[in-house]
Amino acid sequence: MSTTVRGGNHFRLGLLFAVGSAFTFGMSGPFAKSLMVAGWSPMAAVTARLAGGALVMAIFATIVKPDWIREARQHARVVIAYGLVPIAGAQLCYYNAVSHLSVGVALLLEYTAPILVVGWIWATTRRRPRGMTLAGVGLAVAGIVLVLDILSGAAHVNAIGVAWALAAAICAACYFMMSDEVTADGSGLSSITLSAGGLVVGAVAVGLLGLSGVMPLTFTANDAAVAGLTVPWWVPVIVLSVVSTAIAYTLGISGVARLRPSFASLLGLGEVLFAVLSAWVLVGEAVTLTQAVGGVVVLLGLALARQGDRSTEVTAATWPDAGPIGEVAAGARA
């Protein structure tokens, strides 16, 4: 009985972290847009966001986990790969996709990541997801199509842009899969170490890329407009760095550590819902009836996918004292 309660609390905490991560990630769009309208290049906004987030996380990690640098060195391969692919890679690929496609199409293609996650787990464990899980994936993606409302107008599709957006989807899928390297019980790589180390690596990588001249790196000291107010440029930079980067990545990694990557990636779709709401509140972009219906469809898809993940092995994998998901899957195949 106590084990069941502990497992339920573990899931609820993971759910809270994952939703909080989606909410904080979703806030980044309007604030980044305000910087770009003020004259910043996309690469500059990304660099400021990651550099600020890395600084905040490094300070926070040093206070709450003084040995995080030592732990990062012990897991150097994971930390470096995480910083290069899910953090720097996702940002780079997404902004390149947006330069060739409409934002709606680029987002839709990037958010095919849950399908990639489910497919990867299926291929590596040789265990076919339950029908309800697959149905939940399909329903959630269909809801995202409605939320983005790209079907209401003619979208310009460019092959190069599609390739960049699909690359962003791969990076996003890696975010969920690599976050599963974190343990929720403190026995292995911590979420604080992975987020702090990954952000430092990602910030350095993006900064060097910008300085190389491959992509324009333009900063301005112009004021920005947010929610109808004129604010100094550093206000959106702080929000992007602290809320939409440092807090968002830490919550997201902690959530994946307590949930199945497949289900956590579906919860990540909520970022689009929160992005739409944030755009409505902060920059006055209204939510249409189609988008509202899409939000309901996404939630139904998430609920269906969760029901599909309620097998004995999956439930065990969500407990704090359970082994890594890979070990559970291996045991199921034996």
Side-chain angles (χ1 to χ4, degrees), residues 86 91 96 117 273:
Q91 297 287 344
N96 273 283
V117 172
L273 300 178

Side-chain angles (χ1 to χ4, degrees), residues 6-57:
R6 184 168 64 250
N9 291 337
H10 200 59
F11 168 74
R12 284 192 288 272
L13 185 59
L15 185 65
L16 181 63
F17 284 152
V19 173
S21 176
F23 174 73
T24 49
F25 271 130
M27 293 177 62
S28 67
F31 286 99
K33 183 176 181 178
S34 69
L35 288 176
M36 295 177 197
V37 172
W40 290 50
S41 66
M43 193 66 176
V46 171
T47 301
R49 175 185 177 183
L50 293 186
L55 177 62
V56 171
M57 275 307 304

Side-chain angles (χ1 to χ4, degrees), residues 267-324:
L267 285 176
L269 291 170
E271 179 185 339
V272 180
L273 300 178
F274 291 125
V276 171
L277 292 175
S278 297
W280 176 38
V281 173
L282 298 175
V283 295
E285 295 181 358
V287 178
T288 67
L289 177 60
T290 300
Q291 290 174 320
V293 172
V296 174
V297 173
V298 170
L299 295 178
L300 291 175
L302 296 179
L304 190 61
R306 171 57 185 168
Q307 286 298 118
D309 259 355
R310 286 186 181 277
S311 62
T312 303
E313 294 83 3
V314 170
T315 301
T318 65
W319 293 349
D321 54 347

Side-chain angles (χ1 to χ4, degrees), residues 221-308:
N222 299 333
D223 290 338
V226 178
L229 301 175
T230 300
V231 298
W233 62 269
W234 48 263
V235 172
V237 169
I238 290 177
V239 174
L240 285 172
S241 301
V242 178
V243 179
S244 297
T245 304
I247 294 177
Y249 275 108
T250 301
L251 290 177
I253 296 171
S254 299
V256 176
R258 292 165 172 80
L259 302 170
R260 290 278 289 181
S262 56
F263 182 63
S265 65
L266 287 170
L267 285 176
L269 291 170
E271 179 185 339
V272 180
L273 300 178
F274 291 125
V276 171
L277 292 175
S278 297
W280 176 38
V281 173
L282 298 175
V283 295
E285 295 181 358
V287 178
T288 67
L289 177 60
T290 300
Q291 290 174 320
V293 172
V296 174
V297 173
V298 170
L299 295 178
L300 291 175
L302 296 179
L304 190 61
R306 171 57 185 168
Q307 286 298 118

Side-chain angles (χ1 to χ4, degrees), residues 27-119:
M27 293 177 62
S28 67
F31 286 99
K33 183 176 181 178
S34 69
L35 288 176
M36 295 177 197
V37 172
W40 290 50
S41 66
M43 193 66 176
V46 171
T47 301
R49 175 185 177 183
L50 293 186
L55 177 62
V56 171
M57 275 307 304
I59 295 174
F60 175 73
T62 301
I63 295 174
V64 303
K65 189 175 177 56
D67 65 337
W68 74 273
I69 296 179
R70 178 184 59 79
E71 186 181 42
R73 289 175 178 172
Q74 292 176 345
H75 300 272
R77 292 177 60 183
V78 174
V79 172
I80 292 174
Y82 191 85
L84 293 178
V85 181
I87 295 181
Q91 297 287 344
L92 174 65
C93 293
Y94 174 69
Y95 280 104
N96 273 283
V98 169
S99 68
H100 295 282
L101 301 170
S102 67
V103 173
V105 172
L107 270 176
L108 177 61
L109 291 175
E110 181 180 5
Y111 277 89
T112 58
I115 299 177
L116 300 179
V117 172
V118 172

